Amino acid sequence: MTSNALSTVILAAGKGTRMKSRLPKVLHEIAGRPMLGHVLANTRFGGDTRTVLVVGPDMDRVSGYACSVRPDIAVVAQQKQLGTGDAARTALPVLHSSDGVVLVVFGDTPLVRAETLENMADACRRSGSIVILGFEAADPTGYGRVLLEGNQVRRIVEHKDASEGERRTTLCFGGPMAVPAAQFGELLEGLGNDNAQGEYYLTDLVALGRDAGIDCICVTCPEADIQGVNSRADLASAEASLQRRLRGEAMAEGVTFLDPETVYLSFDTKLGRDVTVGQNVVFGPGCDIADGVTIKAFSHLEGATVSESAEIGPFARIRPGTEIGRKAKIGNFVETKKAKIEEGAKVSHLSYIGDARVGAGANIGAGTITCNYDGYNKFFTDIGAGAFIGSNSSLVAPVKIGDGAYVGSGSVVTKGVATDALAVARGRQMEKPGWAAAFRAKNESIKKASSGD
């Protein structure tokens, strides 16, 4: 086989009833991305490729998501749940090509690595054989067993159809399969449903291929890479597996996790070298963290960019649109949203900075908030370089604080403050000598009178 053409068929027609959810199974998220999104990413091969998604009837949400991620994808519907073989057969009319390789994968096995799938396609292309993906199962119960003759796969038998002896086999079928495109359609058309489920099994392609003189070989991967998701427990297990993988990759690239098992990453989290991450830190999607950053315990970041040597937390919430500059500090119980915190600026504690710029070297005192929302619209606050905002100040947007300006503690600022000026916007303090003593005496006499003493 010489053609480099590759067609990928993604099977996602399952109802996922064991998930007990209104959300289609393949749209449940792992590491901040739907399972189907992981599969789409891991099957984005270059060159002469085509991808077909097989969904069930009335699965518009699945189709819509897939098309938003891969606009070039073809979507077909399997009208009746007649098994994986029938689902793959549904894709035949839109495959178009009989050249190269057809790769079949499942939408609910999100942890299969792209390099594994590419290796399967390459092995199929080189040998002209059917290539299946297997794994050694710690507990093979429920999995299809891979039965070998020497180095060749003799057949795959589903657990319900396996004999007692066959069930003792621990080499199990993981789902993905690469098939020479020239034989794919003919083999699918030859499938029967004489089995315990009365379904058309994709796994029967192996025996049909052997009858047609096509060899089948098995490549293997770790069990953690191939786990499917059929229940909420499976979802949690897959999440844990992917988190371990992501943490391991980050540490291999120079990241320090003070307690790795308590840190949660998203599929696209970028962490530079010499980044230190404390306990119980969560990264939502869209975080890009530069070298030398320190993120302290119990912080949550999402959709944020953090520059070199900045410090965040503990207990900081960094929301989407935040840009934190070099050597800036975001301290405990600080929330930012759509805010640009420039180099060396400090927002050390108990503040909310939203829809704002904090200039280089500025200092934001404890309890300061930017009042950015009037119930209908958002407005911008601009705090200049080197400005000093006193504690418990409210900056009512739209407002501009000039470079080097001071805002007195407890101020409610509604107008711009000029460069290097002092703004104090609070009620004037007054004092009434002896008032407190008279107040207490009056109330004590009332209390005694009411008690009858």
Side-chain angles (χ1 to χ4, degrees), residues 15-353:
K15 295 179 180 179
T17 54
R18 279 184 280 171
M19 298 293 287
K20 293 181 170 57
S21 175
R22 293 184 178 89
L23 184 69
K25 179 174 71 170
V26 296
L27 296 186
H28 282 264
E29 291 189 351
I30 295 175
R33 179 162 64 180
M35 287 190 283
L36 180 57
H38 289 281
V39 176
L40 290 169
N42 291 333
T43 55
R44 189 184 289 274
F45 306 115
D48 183 11
T49 63
R50 179 172 180 78
T51 303
V52 180
L53 176 69
V54 181
V55 299
D58 303 318
M59 294 180 71
D60 293 342
R61 294 173 71 181
V62 175
S63 302
Y65 171 75
C67 291
S68 72
V69 175
R70 296 272 292 274
D72 60 338
I73 198 168
V75 180
V76 296
Q78 182 190 21
Q79 296 300 325
K80 296 182 179 180
Q81 301 288 304
L82 299 177
T84 54
D86 180 71
R89 196 157 50 194
T90 304
L92 287 176
V94 295
L95 285 179
H96 299 321
S97 176
S98 60
D99 292 330
V101 173
V102 177
L103 180 67
V104 182
V105 299
F106 289 77
D108 61 357
T109 53
L111 305 188
V112 181
R113 299 173 191 262
E115 53 266 34
T116 300
L117 299 176
E118 287 190 286
N119 289 341
M120 290 178 63
D122 287 343
C124 178
R125 190 176 291 113
R126 289 193 308 270
S127 67
S129 302
I130 296 171
V131 180
I132 66 168
L133 184 60
F135 65 99
E136 288 289 341
D139 178 6
T141 303
Y143 293 112
R145 306 309 202 277
V146 179
L147 306 179
L148 300 176
E149 282 185 357
N151 294 326
Q152 295 290 320
V153 178
R154 176 164 55 89
R155 67 188 183 105
I156 303 170
V157 58
E158 297 293 334
H159 178 86
K160 292 181 179 180
D161 300 311
S163 67
E164 286 299 317
E166 290 168 339
R167 289 182 180 184
R168 288 194 289 270
T169 300
T170 57
L171 180 61
C172 296
F173 179 52
M177 177 182 293
V179 183
Q183 287 82 39
F184 185 62
E186 181 179 348
L187 292 174
L188 284 175
E189 293 300 336
L191 289 176
N193 63 347
D194 184 16
N195 52 64
Q197 297 293 97
E199 294 183 348
Y200 298 91
Y201 292 154
L202 186 66
T203 50
D204 287 344
L205 289 190
V206 173
L208 290 174
R210 285 177 61 87
D211 291 343
I214 305 170
D215 290 335
C216 179
I217 58 178
C218 179
V219 299
T220 60
C221 69
E223 184 174 4
D225 286 7
I226 200 61
Q227 58 185 300
V229 176
N230 294 303
S231 66
R232 304 281 183 158
D234 291 342
L235 187 69
S237 177
E239 178 75 44
S241 293
L242 185 52
Q243 290 297 334
R244 285 192 291 270
R245 180 192 298 182
L246 294 172
R247 294 178 197 125
E249 291 170 352
M251 289 186 285
E253 292 299 319
V255 175
T256 295
F257 295 124
L258 299 185
D259 187 358
E261 292 299 313
T262 68
V263 176
Y264 285 83
L265 307 172
S266 281
F267 70 98
D268 61 350
T269 303
K270 297 178 181 178
L271 299 171
R273 293 187 176 182
D274 296 315
V275 169
T276 300
V277 181
Q279 301 87 342
N280 296 288
V281 172
V282 176
F283 293 92
C287 289
D288 190 344
I289 314 300
D291 295 349
V293 170
T294 299
I295 301 173
K296 297 183 178 180
F298 293 96
S299 295
H300 186 286
L301 297 86
E302 182 177 3
T305 300
V306 184
S307 296
E308 294 86 351
S309 304
E311 182 179 312
I312 296 171
F315 295 97
R317 186 181 182 201
I318 310 301
R319 292 171 57 194
T322 296
E323 300 176 27
I324 298 174
R326 184 175 177 272
K327 293 188 176 181
K329 179 180 179 181
I330 305 296
N332 50 292
F333 301 103
V334 171
E335 179 179 352
T336 65
K337 189 273 298 181
K338 201 176 179 181
K340 185 175 184 179
I341 315 297
E342 295 185 349
E343 182 172 354
K346 296 180 180 179
V347 189
S348 294
H349 31 220
L350 301 162
S351 295
Y352 170 70
I353 307 296

